[in-house]
Amino acid sequence: MSEAPELIRGLEGVVAAETALCDLDGAGGRLAYRGYDIADLARRATFEEVAHLLWRGDLPTKAQLDAFSAELVAARPIPDGLHAAFRLLPKAADPMRALQLSAAMLGALDPDAADNSPEANVRKAMRLTSQLATAICTHHRIRLGKEPVPPAKDLGHAANFLFMLTGERPPAVNARAFDASLILYAEHEMNASTFTTRVISSTLSDMHSAIAGGIGAIKGPLHGGAGEAVMLTLKEIGRVENVDAFVEKALGAKRRLMGFGHRVYRAGDPRAAVLRGLAEEACRLSGEGMWFEMAVRLHERVNRAKGLIPNVDFYSAPLFYALGIPVDLFTPVIVAGRIAGWTAHLLEQYQDNRLIRPRGKYTGPPRRQFVPLERR
Ligand code: ACO
């Protein structure tokens, strides 16, 4: 037997690192980034301000924000080699694989590739945040057989994303809703993908390698992949009138309903409350109101039957759909927000590193004699 003392399945409740980034109150259903309530940030700040808050410790002044935004804008273009790599992928390739490829390739081509100093890592965090957004949109257009849309220097991060995706300048209301959703996704303490990035960096591997791993972790349907699954569920239901029968059948079959439940929030996910309002408005304005109505009814019925709460990925699904984001880009879009938090965590991890190396509880056979091949 190994000497590992206690098995904690799924590391539930285990505190794995100190962090000054995110104050998550699961019982109270509250969330703050560096002390600022998430609802205030989503309603009143921009993604750029939140990225500054996460990486540099405080909200920027106007002058700081201008300089910071200019740096992010300058970092938006992606290398020609990445365009070429996207053209080599099959058209049906999962956009999350293209994103993982992007992180690896941007790492290989990064001017600070061999430099793991704090200054270089802040530069990498900024480049990754701008470049992954461009990579998502570029790959999407290439897979559709369309020309990529170069970034627009005069647009903020959120509006520029929608512009690069569609080739059209988004209405201010859409850009604002998208900006708020990027903020809501930007950071969330020690979730599975952030933990993954911290594990990778704890070996003193580089930031791009850690991000490629984080992209792999967030893709699963129990994590960021749930948003896409929510939209597929809504499409499967098809009409508001079908919700009740769907819920009865799904729960009877013990089906896991995506977008519901959370490891830490038990009473409610505060991000879902903000996203619900954004989804309602976006669905109404786009004429896609039925998806919101269906989501609300599904929320009510599932909550009443099982006490499950909608998580961040629930109302973001009808919101993203109403904003014209293709369903298989929902998870890449989550990455476009979460990259700010991942990289902020990596800066913390490098600053006070200790190799993350837990133990396993051995359940195999006891020690036994080796038998040579000819006698087995
Ligand atoms: N649908 C149906 N039942 C559920 C759901 C769900 N979405 N979530 C939890 N339950 C039930 C489980 O069946 C279990 O019931 P039981 O005790 O009768 O067996 C109980 O609630 C506890 O569930 P666990 O899976 O043990 O709880 P855990 O803390 O591991 O799960 C998780 C958290 C993975 C998020 C889970 O709620 C889930 O699978 N949700 C759906 C996927 C999802 O939406 N993921 C996104 C999370 S947010 C994010 O990562 C961005």
Side-chain angles (χ1 to χ4, degrees):
M1 278 293 285
S2 79
E3 67 274 19
E6 193 189 353
L7 169 66
I8 299 174
R9 291 193 75 231
L11 299 183
E12 182 162 358
V14 171
V15 177
E18 286 186 315
T19 177
L21 297 168
C22 191
D23 181 9
L24 197 176
D25 170 5
R30 295 187 316 154
L31 173 65
Y33 299 164
R34 291 198 188 273
Y36 293 103
D37 190 80
I38 189 72
D40 280 339
L41 291 172
R43 290 201 182 97
R44 298 162 70 184
T46 60
F47 178 75
E48 286 89 328
E49 288 173 80
V50 169
H52 189 285
L53 173 69
L54 292 172
W55 296 333
R56 306 218 169 149
D58 223 332
L59 288 170
T61 62
K62 175 79 176 76
Q64 285 170 334
L65 180 62
D66 289 347
F68 183 76
S69 300
E71 276 187 70
L72 283 170
V73 168
R76 283 177 185 167
I78 53 173
D80 291 344
L82 192 49
H83 284 244
F86 290 153
R87 291 186 198 281
L88 292 175
L89 287 175
K91 291 263 186 293
D94 173 4
M96 286 299 282
R97 292 203 188 281
L99 201 51
Q100 217 171 16
L101 172 154
S102 304
M105 195 152 175
L106 289 168
L109 301 173
D110 194 276
D112 289 311
D115 188 348
N116 211 19
S117 66
E119 299 74 26
N121 279 328
V122 172
R123 291 194 293 272
K124 289 187 215 179
M126 295 191 77
R127 276 198 288 272
L128 268 162
T129 300
S130 288
Q131 290 178 321
L132 287 186
T134 308
I136 293 166
C137 300
T138 303
H139 169 255
H140 175 63
R141 293 190 65 91
I142 287 175
R143 74 176 170 151
L144 293 183
K146 294 182 178 173
E147 273 310 299
V149 175
K153 290 196 172 98
D154 61 325
L155 291 180
H157 190 78
N160 176 57
F161 186 98
L162 295 175
F163 172 66
M164 290 190 297
L165 195 66
T166 62
E168 285 168 27
R169 288 177 172 252
V173 63
N174 285 10
R176 184 63 217 127
F178 189 59
D179 207 348
S181 59
L182 291 179
I183 291 169
L184 293 166
Y185 273 113
E187 161 55 11
H188 207 227
E189 203 219 43
M190 214 56 62
N191 59 87
S193 58
T194 301
F195 183 59
T196 302
T197 67
R198 285 189 86 133
V199 170
I200 294 173
S201 65
S202 83
T203 69
L204 297 185
S205 182
D206 65 284
M207 187 174 268
H208 287 79
S209 298
I211 297 306
I215 293 168
I218 204 168
K219 164 180 162 179
L222 297 189
H223 195 3
E228 179 177 337
V230 169
M231 202 60 225
L232 297 178
T233 303
L234 294 177
K235 290 196 165 196
E236 180 187 340
I237 296 170
R239 297 156 58 92
V240 181
E241 298 73 42
N242 297 344
V243 169
D244 293 16
F246 170 85
V247 170
E248 199 182 337
K249 194 168 164 213
L251 294 181
K254 299 220 171 301
R255 176 170 161 177
R256 193 157 284 244
L257 290 166
M258 294 301 157
F260 287 98
H262 199 273
R263 174 61 66 79
V264 184
Y265 296 118
R266 293 303 176 185
D269 182 334
R271 302 166 298 176
V274 183
L275 284 161
R276 178 177 170 151
L278 294 169
E280 181 172 18
E281 185 180 33
C283 286
R284 182 172 47 78
L285 292 175
S286 66
E288 301 275 2
M290 68 177 259
W291 301 111
F292 179 74
E293 279 174 50
M294 213 187 291
V296 169
R297 194 165 180 100
L298 185 60
H299 168 179
E300 284 168 4
R301 291 296 180 272
V302 171
N303 185 261
R304 195 185 304 162
K306 265 218 113 176
L308 288 167
I309 52 123
N311 59 49
V312 65
D313 292 331
F314 187 72
Y315 283 108
S316 65
L319 169 65
F320 289 160
Y321 197 73
L323 293 178
I325 294 167
V327 176
D328 65 357
L329 289 193
F330 286 11
T331 322
V333 160
I334 293 171
V335 171
R338 185 58 55 84
I339 184 68
W342 283 343
T343 48
H345 274 271
L346 295 175
L347 297 174
E348 276 191 338
Q349 184 69 37
Y350 288 130
Q351 206 171 29
D352 182 27
N353 186 55
R354 185 141 202 259
L355 176 73
I356 299 174
R357 201 295 188 196
R359 293 297 312 269
K361 180 173 175 160
Y362 181 65
T363 59
R367 296 294 167 112
R368 45 187 168 160
Q369 283 295 322
F370 177 80
V371 181
L373 186 59
E374 60 278 11
R375 284 204 276 118
R376 268 174 244 159

